Amino acid sequence: MLGHRKFLGLALAGAVVIVAGVCSALPPWSPGSASAGGGGQIIRVADKTASLQFSTSTVGGNPHQNGSGWAKIINERSTRVRATVAASAGGPENMSLVAHKQASIGWAVATEVGEAVRGVLPAGNDPVYRSLRPVFSYFFGGLHWVVPAESRVRGPLDFKNSNLKVSIGQPGSSSNAFNRRLLLSYGINLERDIKMLELSPPNGIQRFKDGAIDAYMGFASLPLGQILEMATARKVRFIAHTGDGAKEFLAKIPGWKLGILPRTLYPNVENAEDIPIVTTYQVAMAHRDLDEGVVYEITRLLFENIGEFHKSYQLAKNVTLDDALTGITTPLHGGAYRYYREKGVKVPEHLMPR
């Protein structure tokens, strides 16, 4: 199991790889051969081929790479399942798409899925989210708060009464959701203390490089190519998540822990020491109605070809059978549970399918 304070040991040199060659979508089955959910998701299949859509993240983001590597293995090795990969804003959008049967598999922070299933999301209780079922988890990364090296901001509390332009991530993204919650934990008023901008990662990073915003707040695995690009363009300072605000955030949101961002991970970093940041796990999830046999097969294909998957992108080695349940707090999908049971993985009672 990967320790949170050692997660950056996987941050090896090299470019981020986006897997290509994902098969194009097969048409959804018509009533009579199978029943389909919205957006072409196959809910029940018999002896036909199932066409699945993976809803991931922005192109180049960790979930997009994760889904692309998995889909490639499925398309090359399965005779009954085909998978396509779609970009999205991130976790909250993916949860909505999967819950409404408009996507087959989606990626989100483990905490988000747990809160959604238990009906305690900050946005409110919507029963449709109780249908979400994790398939596997893996260590993802954390929240990055970045300012120019010449900025007067040296700690989170310096955002108070600052009127600074701060990008927190686009609506519907995990970055947006958790940066809001961390800022509020530090007592930052999102309307009065800062000029909050909800920009996509490419837009936010480009505007940071151009000097059009004062701070970039992202949610990323490590190292992230887009932040590497930003740090290459200008000298930066990472803001440490320390003090009472971080303690309150970690106490309120199970599944998050304090990790360490090495100051040497990116170029042009002004920080003299490594930077504490809040970190967490990501999960791939399905609707509970997605055919158990299909979920079993795609889970089996992933872990039986894990060596090939680990070559698909830089941080793919974070996905392991030993760590596949870490951070999950709600019942597994029945197909995933069946595979773990066969492999002798100890599944806690609270993760048993129901």
Side-chain angles (χ1 to χ4, degrees):
M1 177 174 159
L2 180 63
H4 280 278
R5 297 186 68 86
K6 296 181 180 178
F7 71 92
L8 296 162
L10 292 175
L12 305 175
V16 172
V17 177
I18 299 177
V19 177
V22 177
C23 182
S24 59
L26 299 174
W29 296 109
S30 59
S33 60
S35 60
Q41 181 199 4
I42 303 302
I43 299 303
R44 296 292 177 197
V45 295
D47 57 349
K48 302 278 187 176
T49 301
S51 175
L52 306 181
Q53 177 168 294
F54 289 1
S55 186
T56 57
S57 66
T58 54
V59 175
N62 180 292
H64 189 271
Q65 295 172 310
N66 191 285
S68 297
W70 190 13
K72 184 173 185 291
I73 288 172
I74 292 168
N75 293 330
E76 289 177 349
R77 298 180 182 271
S78 177
T79 59
R80 116 179 170 98
V81 184
R82 292 292 178 269
T84 60
V85 178
S88 77
E93 180 181 358
N94 294 338
M95 291 193 301
S96 178
L97 290 171
V98 172
H100 290 92
K101 300 184 179 180
Q102 295 175 330
S104 313
I105 302 289
W107 277 253
V109 174
T111 300
E112 290 176 309
V113 178
E115 289 179 330
V117 173
R118 293 192 300 274
V120 294
L121 275 176
N125 179 10
D126 187 341
V128 71
Y129 289 110
R130 296 173 190 168
S131 63
L132 299 176
R133 295 294 182 268
V135 177
F136 68 89
S137 69
Y138 63 98
F139 184 76
F140 178 73
L143 296 181
H144 294 56
W145 287 10
V146 193
V147 298
E150 64 273 16
S151 172
R152 67 179 184 269
V153 176
R154 294 190 168 274
L157 296 181
D158 291 333
F159 286 107
K160 282 192 173 184
N161 300 311
S162 68
N163 204 35
L164 295 176
K165 298 176 183 176
V166 180
S167 174
I168 68 165
Q170 68 204 80
S173 69
S174 299
S175 174
N176 186 300
F178 287 104
N179 276 313
R180 283 174 177 268
R181 294 172 76 170
L182 185 56
L183 283 164
L184 290 171
S185 293
Y186 279 107
I188 308 300
N189 187 297
L190 304 183
E191 296 179 354
R192 295 195 298 269
D193 287 333
I194 61 175
K195 291 182 178 178
M196 186 177 68
L197 303 174
E198 298 179 298
L199 306 176
S200 67
N203 191 8
I205 286 172
Q206 185 58 53
R207 293 183 68 174
F208 183 93
K209 289 166 57 179
D210 294 341
I213 61 175
D214 302 298
Y216 174 83
M217 296 182 175
F219 179 44
S221 53
L222 304 166
L224 183 68
Q226 292 169 325
I227 291 182
L228 178 64
E229 174 188 347
M230 181 172 67
T232 302
R234 62 187 304 185
K235 195 167 186 178
V236 300
R237 178 186 306 129
F238 287 90
I239 303 302
H241 301 149
T242 56
D244 291 341
K247 291 177 182 177
E248 179 180 324
F249 178 90
L250 296 173
K252 285 184 176 179
I253 312 177
W256 286 75
K257 297 187 183 299
L258 205 61
I260 296 296
L261 170 65
R263 61 173 300 277
T264 56
L265 184 63
Y266 297 105
N268 290 326
V269 174
E270 189 234 25
N271 302 71
E273 299 178 347
D274 294 341
I275 307 101
I277 63 172
V278 292
T279 65
T280 194
Y281 276 71
Q282 189 94 188
V283 300
M285 63 191 156
H287 194 286
R288 66 185 169 202
D289 290 342
L290 187 59
D291 183 77
E292 184 176 310
V294 169
V295 175
Y296 169 83
E297 178 166 356
I298 63 177
T299 306
R300 177 186 64 80
L301 286 170
L302 172 65
F303 288 109
E304 289 189 358
N305 297 280
I306 198 68
E308 178 182 342
F309 178 79
H310 285 169
K311 298 175 184 177
S312 65
Y313 71 105
Q314 189 173 1
L315 297 178
K317 290 184 179 180
N318 284 7
V319 179
T320 67
L321 188 60
D322 289 342
D323 214 23
L325 305 184
T326 303
I328 297 177
T329 60
T330 53
L332 294 167
H333 191 282
Y337 169 72
R338 176 182 155 198
Y339 176 75
Y340 296 134
R341 184 182 59 190
E342 286 184 0
K343 300 304 291 184
V345 176
K346 185 176 181 179
V347 179
E349 186 174 349
H350 69 281
L351 300 188
M352 299 288 188
R354 56 180 180 270

